[in-house]
Each structure stands twice: as C-alpha cells, then as structure tokens.
Amino acid sequence: GEGDFLLPIIGRLVRSYVAHGGDLAKAGEELAEALVAVEVHASSLHGARTTVAHELRRLGIPDTAAHSLAGRWLVLGDFLQVELRGEFTHVVGNPPYVRQELIPENLLAKYRARYRTLYDRADLYVPFFERSLGLLAPGGRLGFICTDRWTKNKYGGPLRKLVATDYALTHYVDLLNAPAFTTEVMTYPAITVIERPAQRGAAVAA
C-alpha cells in the first residue's frame, strides 16, 4: 500500500532506538531485522521503498543506510505464501477483503491446502488472520482493522475456534458508524487485537 501503517511504525521505531542510546550511523545494521513488510504488487513495492527511504532520511538516518533498510524491510510476495523467518512480537495490517470468486482456482486450491480457516465461503482476509497469528512469538500481538464478519458468519467458525483455543482476544472496537477508511468501503470494520499468551496454565496432578 502507501505506508499508512508502516510510516508511523518506522517513526516510533527510530525514536525508540535513539531514546535507548542507538546511533543513527549504525542504524542500517542494528535495525536490519526490526521490521518486515510484505507487498504483492511490484509497482507498489517500489513506491513504498522510496517513501520509506525518504522518511528514514527525514528521521536522521544516513542516505545509504536508509536505502538499505527500505530494501531489507520491504519484501515482494504473496503474504499467504512468502517465506518469513522467525517469530514476530507484533503483526499489524488491513488484510484484503476479496471474495473467493475473484481468486484464481489454482491459487485458491493452494490457500485451501495450507489454511484450515479458509472454510466454506470465507473471504481472503480470513487466512490472513491465520497466517499472522501463526507468526506471533509468545506474548506477541496482532492488530487488524478489518471486517467483523468472521465473528458472526458460518465461515468464521474455524477462525473463531483457533482464536478461542490458542490465543486471547484482548481488544475489539466496532467501527460500523465511524469513517475508518479514507475511501468509502462496503464492509463492517472493526479493530481487533489478539494476543498469543506467553504461557498457559499448567495442569497439575498429585
């Protein structure tokens, strides 16, 4: 996209880095693993990298390091298929709201084979939840602004079960009557925050 989430995240990251004694001259190396952003369209990726590099320079990071971080952080690929290493403390996004009829059959088959929550007539945003939750480190949090239909409809059943079994819904903000997006969309938006518990209670037998 255009960096609506990414730019504020980068600003907070760099300010925190400096506040904790970070040296902007070393940011290209020390922040290289701090962020990952996935974009499926090559043209959008190019524009986002340019925007990110500009923002990093504005925040005081040297030009070479700014371009290096922009290239490192922003990845071209399909989020539901791209390989991502490690676990994440936070996952933030606005997953695509795409009906199954608009997804090529061969690609839909791959998604169905990989994501158990892609059930019945579930739209594409549902496996985005599953993939993102699976990337969380213990204690990590997911924050999405997205349609709330999965909380009510039949197709959301497997996702609701996944969340109830392995995660914890910590925040839910209904945005039905709020201007949540810059353009009008036909959906029922909500902000949802889900946490992967750091540990679960242990069963003890004596």
Side-chain angles (χ1 to χ4, degrees), residues 11 18 32 122 205:
V18 172

Side-chain angles (χ1 to χ4, degrees), residues 98-111 124:
V98 180
R99 298 187 181 280
Q100 290 187 23
E101 294 83 356
L102 300 177
I103 304 173
E105 290 187 9
N106 62 333
L107 183 58
L108 182 61
K110 291 180 181 180
Y111 291 160
L124 189 62

Side-chain angles (χ1 to χ4, degrees), residues 3-91:
D4 291 342
F5 293 102
L6 191 55
L7 295 185
I9 289 170
I10 289 171
R12 293 188 64 175
L13 171 66
V14 173
R15 287 191 292 272
S16 177
Y17 173 70
V18 172
H20 288 82
D23 182 351
L24 290 177
K26 299 179 181 178
E29 298 177 2
E30 296 183 344
L31 296 180
E33 303 290 335
L35 291 175
V36 176
V38 180
E39 171 57 56
V40 69
H41 298 112
S43 58
S44 296
L45 180 76
H46 176 74
R49 281 178 172 166
T50 299
T51 300
V52 166
H54 175 78
E55 178 67 3
L56 289 170
R57 290 195 302 271
R58 188 186 71 81
L59 291 166
I61 292 179
D63 183 71
T64 300
H67 282 282
S68 174
L69 288 173
R72 182 71 175 268
W73 287 346
L74 277 71
V75 176
L76 179 64
D78 175 355
F79 178 72
L80 296 180
Q81 298 188 91
V82 69
E83 181 180 354
L84 297 173
R85 297 181 292 106
E87 295 179 314
F88 294 78
T89 59
H90 297 81
V91 178

Side-chain angles (χ1 to χ4, degrees), residues 72-151:
R72 182 71 175 268
W73 287 346
L74 277 71
V75 176
L76 179 64
D78 175 355
F79 178 72
L80 296 180
Q81 298 188 91
V82 69
E83 181 180 354
L84 297 173
R85 297 181 292 106
E87 295 179 314
F88 294 78
T89 59
H90 297 81
V91 178
V92 180
N94 170 217
Y97 189 63
V98 180
R99 298 187 181 280
Q100 290 187 23
E101 294 83 356
L102 300 177
I103 304 173
E105 290 187 9
N106 62 333
L107 183 58
L108 182 61
K110 291 180 181 180
Y111 291 160
R112 286 193 179 279
R114 182 167 182 174
Y115 297 103
R116 54 185 169 135
T117 59
L118 191 54
Y119 165 73
D120 193 53
R121 304 306 304 166
D123 290 349
L124 189 62
Y125 74 88
V126 171
F128 268 73
F129 268 97
E130 182 179 345
R131 177 80 200 275
S132 298
L133 290 170
L135 291 170
L136 291 178
R141 287 189 169 188
L142 172 150
F144 273 177
I145 180 169
C146 183
T147 178
D148 67 355
R149 295 297 87 187
W150 69 275
T151 67

